[in-house]
Amino acid sequence: MPRFSSNHLETLLTAVDTGSFEAAARALSITPSAVSQRIRAMEALAGQVLLQRAAPIRPTTAGETVLRLARQVRLLDEEASRALDGSGAAVPSLPIAANADSLATWFLDALVEVRREADVVFDLHREDQARTAALLRDGTVLAAVTAERRPVQGCVAVPLGIDRYRAVASPAFVDRHLPGATSGRDVLARLDAVPLVDFDRDDDLQQGFLRRVVGHAPRSPRHFVPSSADFARAVELGLGWGLLPESQALEPLAAGRLVELAPGRVADVVLWWQHWNLRSTLLDAVTAAVRRVAAEHLRPSPV
Amino acid sequence: MPRFSSNHLETLLTAVDTGSFEAAARALSITPSAVSQRIRAMEALAGQVLLQRAAPIRPTTAGETVLRLARQVRLLDEEASRALDGSGAAVPSLPIAANADSLATWFLDALVEVRREADVVFDLHREDQARTAALLRDGTVLAAVTAERRPVQGCVAVPLGIDRYRAVASPAFVDRHLPGATSGRDVLARLDAVPLVDFDRDDDLQQGFLRRVVGHAPRSPRHFVPSSADFARAVELGLGWGLLPESQALEPLAAGRLVELAPGRVADVVLWWQHWNLRSTLLDAVTAAVRRVAAEHLRPSPV
């Protein structure tokens, strides 16, 4: 690996984070042509193009390798400066991805625990699991809560537990769309003819559940509500039925604002914590807090 | 405009919505080569390339025009079939964009009102205002709640009201980061040195507020929490201060879980309802419900 200067690495990171040489120049208080020169110098050293000059700027495959390095060096550097210089140095920023349901339920509690002990800000990315691996791979994030168990190269994967989903709907929805359905079997047989709330077109959780239950490709009319808390509210308001994680479903079920459609039929998602294999006090503290809080909120992992 | 057959229009829509010819073929129960033939026939008729064969498939500029047409024809067709055929026809699906804060607060209530009267499913897109105009323009959505007041060509813009944001933080956050700040003026002078919760890098609401308040580019350490309900929770949990819409702030302020940092200093966002100028009973019903519910939740619009 060629030795890049740390301000060149910082320039590359800023260009990718801001999306253009002009915005990076403003953020770094240098001229756009100085940004451009630094990137060209890095590319000469690497012997490869690192950035696609598009709008927004995107790293090439070689650029992703250097970005990953840059992100790690920045964190280690911020931690060291903070240790040496106390409150004078910049507060370290930790980029982390999480699936929408974890972010909406237990994940913030873990971050609050870390913040009690350490000065740090969190740069959260809400992504579905397919994208999470890409964000780890290209160095956008240093850690992620994900359903992907295969460790991304250079990462460690730790099981966090099972997030259990239950099929629920509002009582008014059941009265309108499933009148006279007295047993779970009745409900399941009619479930693919009534409106469903889906997260987005990439989310296969309810479609997969329906396929297993009805035995064919489902034909349900589908609402799309691409935000976890709003998704839960759309189900409570009776727009459609949906699978909710227990952390969102149990309280409204107990209060009678939701009813369970298919008791005993659940969808389990095993969640993992993947993080870069990096000696960082901060990352270690986040890992410890995430494991602790996940253990309180999720069912024990089978692995 | 050349006359496209309605199943060709449907094929184009499905290819863009599913992202590939293969997935479109599965959804339409035809072969991928039939999908490809239909698209080529449409391109021959239009005399222009309509789709970029990338992964995922994207419309060209000419393709966006045809998509917009396709989306409108589909809705009118679904409405007509429904009127003729009752419950035998497919439930119409209405694609709508909304900014994250409206979606998290009042917007779903309007959709629930519509659903009481009509069978319809909603295909919601959560987007910041810059992207909303693009989604209207390229025909991905037929209507949007947006801060963009200039009507997109072919659309009507109706003012909905003002969403007022207040600068708030948890009492614990104030004790830790702003000890001894007794007046609003004290707080404002120190506000750009304490952690801030931001939505994402495209959201300029709090940065703009800080610039106005401190008179220079802010240097705050920033958390990023890209989901509206989670953003509000991050502020309540004390990760940082933030601007919350009154619909999220007033209850926790009254209960003492949040305190207002700068009474009298607010950020106002005027929200608009932009919709395609289209004779559709459903779209008219949504427009009426959105205006009614917005009037209950927002401050009266100045325009």
Side-chain angles (χ1 to χ4, degrees), chain B residues 108-118 288-289 292-293 296:
Chain B
L108 285 178
D109 292 338
L111 302 188
V112 169
E113 279 200 11
V114 176
R115 275 268 305 163
R116 266 193 218 113
E117 317 282 309
R292 195 161 53 236
V293 172
E296 284 166 24

Side-chain angles (χ1 to χ4, degrees), chain A residues 228-294:
Chain A
S228 180
D230 305 338
F231 178 101
R233 218 153 45 84
V235 172
E236 261 197 53
L237 289 169
L239 284 183
W241 72 275
L243 290 174
L244 286 190
E246 287 186 333
S247 42
Q248 288 177 327
L250 293 182
E251 191 271 322
L253 279 172
R257 297 197 309 280
L258 289 177
V259 291
E260 188 161 5
L261 295 178
R265 303 294 290 256
V266 298
D268 281 349
V269 175
V270 181
L271 291 176
W272 296 77
W273 175 245
Q274 289 213 18
H275 63 85
W276 275 88
N277 197 351
L278 186 67
R279 276 282 125 242
S280 150
T281 320
L282 253 181
L283 191 54
D284 289 350
V286 175
T287 296
V290 164
R291 297 185 71 168
R292 196 161 51 236
V293 172

Side-chain angles (χ1 to χ4, degrees), chain B residues 106 110 158-160 273 275 285-297:
Chain B
W106 58 272
V158 184
L160 291 175
W273 176 245
H275 62 86
V286 175
T287 296
V290 164
R291 296 185 72 168
R292 195 161 53 236
V293 172
E296 284 166 24
H297 287 80

Side-chain angles (χ1 to χ4, degrees), chain A residues 90 128 132 139 145 149 173 176 203 252 263 277:
Chain A
D128 67 69
T132 316
V145 179
R149 64 178 296 168
F173 178 87
R176 172 167 170 186
D203 175 28
N277 197 351

Side-chain angles (χ1 to χ4, degrees), chain A residues 96-159:
Chain A
I96 306 178
N99 64 316
D101 286 336
S102 295
L103 192 53
T105 53
W106 58 273
F107 188 66
L108 286 178
D109 292 339
L111 302 187
V112 169
E113 279 201 10
V114 175
R115 275 268 307 162
R116 266 194 219 114
E117 318 281 307
D119 264 337
V120 53
V121 286
F122 299 104
D123 177 6
L124 301 184
H125 296 251
R126 189 197 72 147
E127 289 294 348
D128 67 69
Q129 60 198 72
R131 280 278 302 155
T132 316
L135 292 178
L136 281 165
R137 206 174 301 117
D138 74 11
T140 304
V141 301
L142 292 170
V145 179
T146 172
E148 174 60 53
R149 64 178 296 168
R150 256 172 319 152
V152 170
Q153 208 196 335
C155 291
V156 178
V158 184

Side-chain angles (χ1 to χ4, degrees), chain B:
Chain B
M1 169 73 75
R3 296 286 292 276
F4 298 104
S5 82
S6 63
N7 70 352
H8 283 193
L9 289 173
E10 192 61 30
T11 306
L12 182 78
L13 268 182
T14 309
V16 172
D17 283 349
T18 60
S20 74
F21 284 5
E22 290 69 33
R26 273 195 304 279
L28 296 167
S29 304
I30 57 177
T31 64
S33 83
V35 172
S36 172
Q37 276 169 27
R38 288 184 187 176
I39 303 296
R40 279 203 309 275
M42 295 178 78
E43 291 178 328
L45 197 56
Q48 296 183 66
V49 175
L50 299 177
L51 296 180
Q52 296 166 13
R53 272 72 165 177
I57 280 182
R58 294 293 309 151
T60 61
T61 308
E64 289 178 357
T65 307
V66 182
L67 260 184
R68 209 153 55 209
L69 167 73
R71 197 81 66 183
Q72 300 188 31
V73 168
R74 179 196 271 178
L75 178 67
L76 297 174
D77 188 64
E78 285 172 338
E79 280 190 78
S81 309
R82 197 78 185 165
L84 292 170
D85 194 21
S87 62
V91 176
S93 173
L94 206 56
I96 306 179
N99 63 316
D101 285 337
S102 296
L103 192 53
T105 53
W106 58 272
F107 188 66
L108 285 178
D109 292 338
L111 302 188
V112 169
E113 279 200 11
V114 176
R115 275 268 305 163
R116 266 193 218 113
E117 317 282 309
D119 262 337
V120 52
V121 287
F122 300 104
D123 178 6
L124 301 184
H125 296 250
R126 191 196 71 149
E127 289 294 346
D128 67 68
Q129 60 199 72
R131 280 278 302 155
T132 315
L135 291 178
L136 281 166
R137 206 174 302 117
D138 73 11
T140 304
V141 301
L142 291 171
V145 179
T146 172
E148 174 60 52
R149 63 177 296 168
R150 254 172 320 153
V152 169
Q153 208 196 334
C155 290
V156 177
V158 184
L160 291 175
I162 293 173
D163 210 2
R164 173 157 291 177
Y165 288 76
R166 296 179 182 271
V168 295
S170 73
F173 178 89
V174 173
D175 287 346
R176 172 168 170 185
H177 289 283
L178 297 162
T182 49
S183 71
R185 190 180 295 258
D186 275 3
V187 168
L188 291 180
R190 289 154 64 182
L191 209 51
D192 84 324
V194 301
L196 162 69
V197 185
D198 239 335
F199 190 78
D200 61 24
R201 289 180 171 76
D202 294 330
D203 174 29
D204 195 47
L205 192 67
Q206 9 254 334
Q207 294 287 302
F209 178 85
L210 257 185
R211 268 196 307 275
R212 287 196 303 279
V213 159
V214 301
H216 54 78
R219 296 156 301 200
S220 319
R222 290 199 279 169
H223 300 278
F224 291 99
V225 183
S227 160
S228 179
D230 305 339
F231 179 102
R233 219 152 45 85
V235 172
E236 261 197 52
L237 288 170
L239 283 183
W241 71 275
L243 290 174
L244 285 191
E246 287 185 333
S247 42
Q248 288 177 327
L250 293 182
E251 191 272 322
L253 279 172
R257 297 197 309 279
L258 289 176
V259 291
E260 187 161 5
L261 294 177
R265 303 294 289 258
V266 298
D268 281 349
V269 175
V270 181
L271 291 176
W272 296 76
W273 176 245
Q274 290 212 17
H275 62 86
W276 274 89
N277 196 351
L278 185 67
R279 277 281 125 243
S280 149
T281 319
L282 252 181
L283 190 53
D284 289 349
V286 175
T287 296
V290 164
R291 296 185 72 168
R292 195 161 53 236
V293 172
E296 284 166 24
H297 287 80
L298 303 175
R299 288 168 178 265
S301 167
V303 283

